[in-house]
Amino acid sequence: MSRVLNNTCAVAEDKRLRVEKAASALGYVPNPNARSLLMKSTGGMGMLLPHVSGEFFSEFLTGADNVAKDNDFFLLISASHGKASEWRSSVQSVYRRVDGLIVMAPQVTPKRLNLSQDIPTVFVNTPVPERDRSGVDVIGFDNAGGTRQAVEYLLNLGHRRFCYVAGPEGAFDAAERAKGFREALDSAGIRDGVILAGGYNHEDGALAARKILEMDPRPTAVLAANDYCALGLLTELQGAGVDVPGEVSIIGFDNVPSAAFSAPGLTTLGVPIREIGEKAIERLLHRIRRPDDPVRLSVELPVNLVVRDTTAPVLRQQ
Amino acid sequence: MSRVLNNTCAVAEDKRLRVEKAASALGYVPNPNARSLLMKSTGGMGMLLPHVSGEFFSEFLTGADNVAKDNDFFLLISASHGKASEWRSSVQSVYRRVDGLIVMAPQVTPKRLNLSQDIPTVFVNTPVPERDRSGVDVIGFDNAGGTRQAVEYLLNLGHRRFCYVAGPEGAFDAAERAKGFREALDSAGIRDGVILAGGYNHEDGALAARKILEMDPRPTAVLAANDYCALGLLTELQGAGVDVPGEVSIIGFDNVPSAAFSAPGLTTLGVPIREIGEKAIERLLHRIRRPDDPVRLSVELPVNLVVRDTTAPVLRQQ
DNA sequence: ACGTCCGTTGAAAACGTTTTCAAGAAAGTA
DNA sequence: TACTTTCTTGAAAACGTTTTCAACGGACGT
């Protein structure tokens, strides 16, 4: 009897007791499929991500999970996505199983995902053209501005020979970060900034480090596409006897927890990714609870330079 | 018409075409709730975890997600669990929404979770008493043996003054690791091993490091409950001018990706956590596909010492 | 040409809930 | 006492699928 479980209308006290006793004796748990088939709500949030590995995503998940749990929502996660076709099948499999969707697809433009419009969706760190933002929320952060800021900081420290270790091919955020690097150098009138192929993992940084070691003259400032890349770079350079930050300054991107605990501590660009995870779920909750609210989010959060110990004035090398 | 979408029986070719065209024109996607209500299968795997933060869990998730995706299963994740009551409500909310369940509950014994027996369940790194293993699969790893192995390695390097930075209170795996430490010291006849309160995060290691710095005589070998703790310890000791491994050797636990990229590289105990994630999902898939197979898994995987550069012979200090 | 069998197809039952509908009982009012 | 209103409760409809059932038509064999 659904009335007693959900307190939906008045029931005689003796009957209520009998039903409750029977329910707990049988270990009765309502079937959520039947429930959400009828009620058209599932109590879940879907997260479509490119990966789940690394601290960037684990922080994002942690933020999302915290507020989801507080509101008794579960998280449905689908990851490991490179191609648009994989995205589409994931979208299908998630559709109608959740009440809201968070999509982080730095490699794919959302219209290729053919998402249905009838489910609240928040895009995070995903390239959404202005004309496609009508029905959806968009949370981004200033990738290009971050690198630009970092370059400017290094310029002020006297650096003139720059190198950028790029992120993965085809990823929108990586491209933006590289763009910020080029723009900042252009503004400063520096023409010989080097961009090296890289990626988002330690190994990519280590590989780039070996190329940097062979360069002559060697750059005095290296920016990496993210913290893991920077950390791999740092370790490899140190292993080759290079003094960081004495000879080379390094700046990462993301400010993952580990960045604070390298030796020396990594100077990096802080992205509030855990807070973004929280905010994204909160946003979905709002849209679920007030479906007729027409206002949509479209924010680009600032990225803050977190100065630690892998950056120093260039004076010593000149 | 379900017959054409699922190829369940012969249909005239012209009708099939017409149905398919109509379906794609309307953007028809079958409602998964209605589907699984009837078919009693959902195409999802549930993961009940204590957290999702940090590389340990992100590696575990990556492994699980890889094989789940290859088999077109989605992952339903419920985390942030401290208390048994939270676990129970999560179990309820996941029940019937997934075809299999992975439970990692180092803080709770499974019988307090009142899990239903009718869904395949794999316990990972969870204390399951022998008598409760009849219907479930259990994958563990040798926590005690790991620390024991590490202590023995350090003993061979000549270390005699040991310190252990413990994990979180109440966690089964942390207790096992501490037990291994005590046992190994007892076997060696060393009575003055120090156990410090700690935790699973960088900060816990850093805090413990400050206590170690005040100790006199200072230990020459420090084991940490996990890698993050060890890394926090390492950074803090280095910051205080302590030479690692010259003055103090450090060994972590888990072998998360970052452990390879500290400076110096962290000696640690390798837990194949990504493979465990894969194996757990594979196990569930097997049990879903062959429900009548009575054999149950009950394995304790070995933990391997991964020697890097935070450990050295004690000679110099004697 | 007639009977049988197989391939095809439409209708209906089932899955486990919630919600609606209507009926019945109890209580209050004239 | 009779009528109306409110409270309670059982039955039935609905949600969107899959599967089963039965019927229909055609093809094949005798």
Side-chain angles (χ1 to χ4, degrees):
Chain A
M1 196 67 45
S2 97
R3 303 193 236 253
V4 4
L5 281 323
N6 302 21
N7 262 351
T8 182
C9 74
V11 183
E13 198 55 34
D14 58 332
K15 299 234 172 200
R16 146 163 287 129
L17 246 64
R18 259 184 53 201
V19 171
E20 276 173 351
K21 207 173 67 180
S24 84
L26 267 63
Y28 171 80
V29 176
N31 184 319
N33 291 309
R35 209 163 214 271
S36 48
L37 176 59
L38 198 49
M39 313 218 295
K40 291 169 183 343
S41 84
T42 62
M45 301 291 190
M47 303 191 74
L48 267 38
L49 308 172
H51 310 281
V52 287
S53 57
E55 290 179 312
F56 182 79
F57 290 103
S58 81
E59 284 293 298
F60 184 57
L61 282 180
T62 301
D65 179 70
N66 281 344
V67 2
K69 198 202 71 137
D70 289 347
N71 292 274
D72 292 313
F73 272 69
F74 64 84
L75 251 37
L76 196 156
I77 292 178
S78 184
S80 321
H81 299 295
K83 294 173 294 181
S85 61
E86 287 178 7
W87 277 103
R88 271 194 288 272
S89 79
S90 293
V91 169
Q92 273 219 11
S93 100
V94 165
Y95 181 75
R96 295 266 143 218
R97 247 189 268 261
V98 294
D99 300 334
L101 207 52
I102 293 176
V103 177
M104 192 191 293
Q107 318 233 13
V108 185
T109 53
K111 63 168 171 283
R112 299 191 56 198
L113 264 43
N114 61 346
L115 290 161
S116 57
Q117 290 287 0
D118 54 352
I119 180 175
T121 304
V122 176
F123 288 98
V124 174
N125 191 33
T126 299
V128 186
E130 206 59 51
R131 66 178 181 283
D132 296 340
R133 299 200 174 198
S134 59
V136 301
D137 296 288
V138 180
I139 304 179
F141 40 85
D142 190 7
N143 285 296
T147 349
R148 219 180 296 127
Q149 196 179 154
V151 171
E152 281 157 17
Y153 175 73
L154 291 165
L155 283 167
N156 283 335
L157 289 178
H159 292 270
R160 291 297 176 269
R161 293 203 304 278
F162 286 86
C163 175
Y164 182 74
V165 181
E169 203 72 31
F172 135 87
D173 51 355
E176 289 284 304
R177 292 173 190 190
K179 197 180 88 182
F181 176 75
R182 280 190 304 267
E183 286 174 356
L185 287 196
D186 284 353
S187 305
I190 295 178
R191 302 255 154 255
D192 58 348
V194 181
I195 297 191
L196 254 38
Y200 276 161
N201 296 308
H202 289 111
E203 291 75 12
D204 304 308
L207 242 56
R210 281 180 228 148
K211 291 198 198 119
I212 288 172
L213 288 168
E214 292 169 5
M215 288 164 65
D216 185 26
R218 207 179 273 169
T220 65
V222 182
L223 286 79
N226 77 345
D227 285 345
Y228 280 170
C229 182
L231 256 13
L233 197 62
L234 171 64
T235 306
E236 190 76 8
L237 288 182
Q238 285 178 326
V242 175
D243 178 21
V244 178
E247 296 173 65
V248 176
S249 287
I250 298 178
I251 297 186
F253 209 117
D254 289 346
N255 193 27
V256 297
S258 285
F261 291 92
S262 63
L266 183 68
T267 296
T268 186
L269 293 152
V271 176
I273 188 61
R274 185 193 284 232
E275 287 74 17
I276 292 177
E278 293 169 355
K279 199 185 288 282
I281 296 282
E282 279 163 10
R283 185 66 199 151
L284 289 179
L285 287 169
H286 174 81
R287 286 190 56 190
I288 289 165
R289 285 167 189 163
R290 313 205 29 194
D292 45 358
D293 183 350
V295 32
R296 291 290 176 272
L297 219 59
S298 184
V299 297
E300 178 156 84
L301 297 174
V303 163
N304 303 311
L305 185 68
V306 179
V307 177
R308 297 204 183 91
D309 308 316
T310 53
T311 43
V314 77
L315 299 172
R316 276 172 268 178
Q317 298 129 53
Q318 297 300 63
Chain B
M1 197 66 45
S2 95
R3 303 192 237 253
V4 4
L5 281 322
N6 301 22
N7 261 352
T8 182
C9 74
V11 183
E13 197 55 32
D14 56 333
K15 300 234 172 203
R16 143 165 289 129
L17 244 65
R18 259 184 52 201
V19 171
E20 277 173 351
K21 207 173 66 179
S24 83
L26 268 63
Y28 171 81
V29 176
N31 184 318
N33 291 308
R35 208 162 213 270
S36 48
L37 176 60
L38 198 51
M39 312 217 297
K40 290 168 181 346
S41 84
T42 63
M45 301 290 190
M47 303 193 74
L48 268 38
L49 309 172
H51 310 281
V52 287
S53 57
E55 291 180 312
F56 183 79
F57 291 103
S58 82
E59 283 294 299
F60 184 57
L61 282 181
T62 301
D65 179 71
N66 280 345
V67 2
K69 198 203 70 135
D70 288 347
N71 292 274
D72 293 312
F73 272 69
F74 64 84
L75 251 37
L76 195 157
I77 292 179
S78 184
S80 322
H81 298 297
K83 295 172 294 181
S85 61
E86 287 178 7
W87 277 101
R88 271 193 290 271
S89 79
S90 293
V91 169
Q92 273 220 9
S93 100
V94 166
Y95 182 74
R96 294 269 144 215
R97 247 190 268 263
V98 295
D99 300 335
L101 207 52
I102 294 176
V103 177
M104 190 190 295
Q107 318 234 12
V108 185
T109 53
K111 63 166 171 287
R112 299 191 55 199
L113 264 42
N114 61 347
L115 291 161
S116 58
Q117 290 288 1
D118 53 352
I119 179 174
T121 304
V122 175
F123 288 99
V124 175
N125 192 32
T126 299
V128 186
E130 205 58 53
R131 67 178 178 282
D132 296 337
R133 299 201 174 198
S134 58
V136 300
D137 295 290
V138 180
I139 304 179
F141 40 84
D142 190 6
N143 285 295
T147 351
R148 218 180 296 127
Q149 198 181 150
V151 170
E152 281 158 15
Y153 175 73
L154 291 165
L155 282 167
N156 284 335
L157 290 179
H159 292 271
R160 291 298 176 269
R161 293 201 305 279
F162 286 87
C163 174
Y164 182 73
V165 182
E169 203 70 31
F172 137 88
D173 50 356
E176 290 283 306
R177 292 173 190 190
K179 196 179 89 180
F181 176 76
R182 279 192 304 268
E183 286 174 356
L185 287 196
D186 283 353
S187 304
I190 295 178
R191 302 256 153 256
D192 58 350
V194 181
I195 296 191
L196 254 36
Y200 276 162
N201 296 309
H202 288 112
E203 291 76 11
D204 304 309
L207 242 56
R210 283 180 227 147
K211 292 199 197 117
I212 289 172
L213 289 168
E214 293 169 5
M215 288 164 65
D216 185 27
R218 207 179 274 170
T220 65
V222 182
L223 286 80
N226 76 345
D227 285 345
Y228 280 169
C229 182
L231 255 14
L233 197 62
L234 171 63
T235 307
E236 190 77 9
L237 289 182
Q238 285 177 326
V242 175
D243 178 23
V244 178
E247 298 173 62
V248 177
S249 286
I250 298 179
I251 296 185
F253 209 117
D254 289 345
N255 193 27
V256 296
S258 284
F261 290 92
S262 61
L266 183 69
T267 297
T268 186
L269 293 151
V271 176
I273 188 61
R274 184 192 283 232
E275 287 75 16
I276 292 176
E278 293 170 355
K279 200 186 288 282
I281 296 282
E282 279 163 10
R283 186 63 199 152
L284 289 178
L285 287 169
H286 174 81
R287 286 191 54 191
I288 289 164
R289 284 167 188 164
R290 313 206 28 195
D292 45 357
D293 183 350
V295 32
R296 291 291 174 272
L297 219 59
S298 185
V299 296
E300 178 157 85
L301 298 174
V303 164
N304 303 312
L305 185 68
V306 179
V307 177
R308 296 204 182 92
D309 308 317
T310 53
T311 42
V314 77
L315 299 171
R316 278 171 266 176
Q317 299 128 50
Q318 298 301 62

